[in-house]
Amino acid sequence: MEGEIQKFQASEINTLKGLAGAKINDVIYHVWSNIAKDDEEYQCLDWLELRFEDKTRLTFTAGEESDGIKIVIFDIIEERKKLLEQFQGKIDIKSFRVIKMDLWADVLHETITEVKLSKIKEDFYLNDEMILVFENENQLKIRLSEEDGLKVEVYEDEPPVINSLDDYPEPDEDL
């Protein structure tokens, strides 16, 4: 799979589009924690769990080999047990409620109006990032980070980027 461009599956796209109208009321970061070295601990955000006002949950992960954002059914107890056994207690999962972080506090209980994805061509949406747009005009980008697993940051609109050569303007013939 290395070097291959990854995309969201059709079911994931439908789930993401279905977030319009939803309101987040809780956010949990499940952090993969490597304590193999006594003097330093390596952590990365491996699972991002969004809990909604209608009691549903949605969990994103960075993928097994950071090969793209995926929507998963996440069982913290099973996953911890598996990692602790596999790595003799040197790898664990730590979970944190993060709703007091400014970026989440600003969108808590706000209606999601849209989820923006990078579209390359029909039915081909890159799974390296997504942008959640909220009714109060705040936007959050959830993206893949090579070193940190998932990364969440405030997003502000930028000039449009050409995502496909199909949309690339023809060069002037006179030059």
Side-chain angles (χ1 to χ4, degrees):
M1 290 242 180
E2 203 168 305
E4 184 179 325
I5 298 175
Q6 299 293 312
K7 66 178 184 172
F8 282 110
Q9 301 299 314
S11 61
E12 292 172 318
I13 294 167
N14 290 335
T15 298
L16 293 171
K17 287 182 178 179
L19 290 179
K23 294 180 181 184
I24 298 170
N25 72 350
D26 202 0
V27 182
I28 312 293
Y29 285 4
H30 300 285
V31 175
W32 188 89
S33 179
N34 181 339
I35 50 175
K37 294 183 182 176
D38 292 334
D39 58 340
E40 79 181 58
E41 179 177 357
Y42 170 76
Q43 294 185 335
C44 70
L45 176 57
D46 225 9
W47 298 273
L48 166 63
E49 182 179 340
L50 302 179
R51 297 179 179 180
F52 300 95
E53 289 186 348
D54 67 0
K55 306 289 186 230
T56 60
R57 296 176 182 194
L58 190 60
T59 303
F60 301 103
T61 186
E64 286 289 319
E65 301 295 327
S66 294
D67 59 351
I69 299 170
K70 295 177 180 14
I71 296 173
V72 295
I73 295 171
F74 181 66
D75 182 336
I76 180 73
I77 295 167
E78 281 301 310
E79 196 65 37
R80 279 192 83 217
K81 185 175 152 187
K82 182 175 82 175
L83 284 175
L84 288 168
E85 287 174 7
Q86 183 178 356
F87 295 100
Q88 293 83 41
K90 297 294 185 186
I91 306 289
D92 197 0
I93 300 171
K94 297 179 180 180
S95 299
F96 305 93
R97 289 184 77 213
V98 294
I99 56 174
K100 292 188 178 181
M101 288 174 64
D102 287 346
L103 66 105
W104 289 110
D106 291 344
V107 299
L108 212 59
H109 306 292
E110 293 288 333
T111 302
I112 296 173
T113 58
E114 176 185 10
V115 178
K116 296 179 185 177
L117 303 172
S118 299
K119 182 177 180 179
I120 295 219
K121 60 182 182 181
E122 197 60 38
D123 296 327
F124 197 109
Y125 294 87
L126 292 176
N127 67 351
D128 61 342
E129 69 179 28
M130 71 184 83
I131 298 166
L132 302 179
V133 182
F134 294 87
E135 195 169 48
N136 64 0
E137 298 186 10
N138 284 332
Q139 299 182 68
L140 293 182
K141 179 190 274 189
I142 301 169
R143 67 177 177 86
L144 207 55
S145 166
E146 284 186 33
E147 295 175 4
D148 300 321
L150 293 173
K151 186 142 182 94
V152 182
E153 54 201 6
V154 173
Y155 178 79
E156 294 182 15
D157 282 322
E158 299 167 0
V161 175
I162 296 170
N163 288 332
S164 166
L165 293 179
D166 298 340
D167 299 330
Y168 199 80
E170 290 295 321
D172 288 339
E173 297 295 327
D174 300 341
L175 298 178

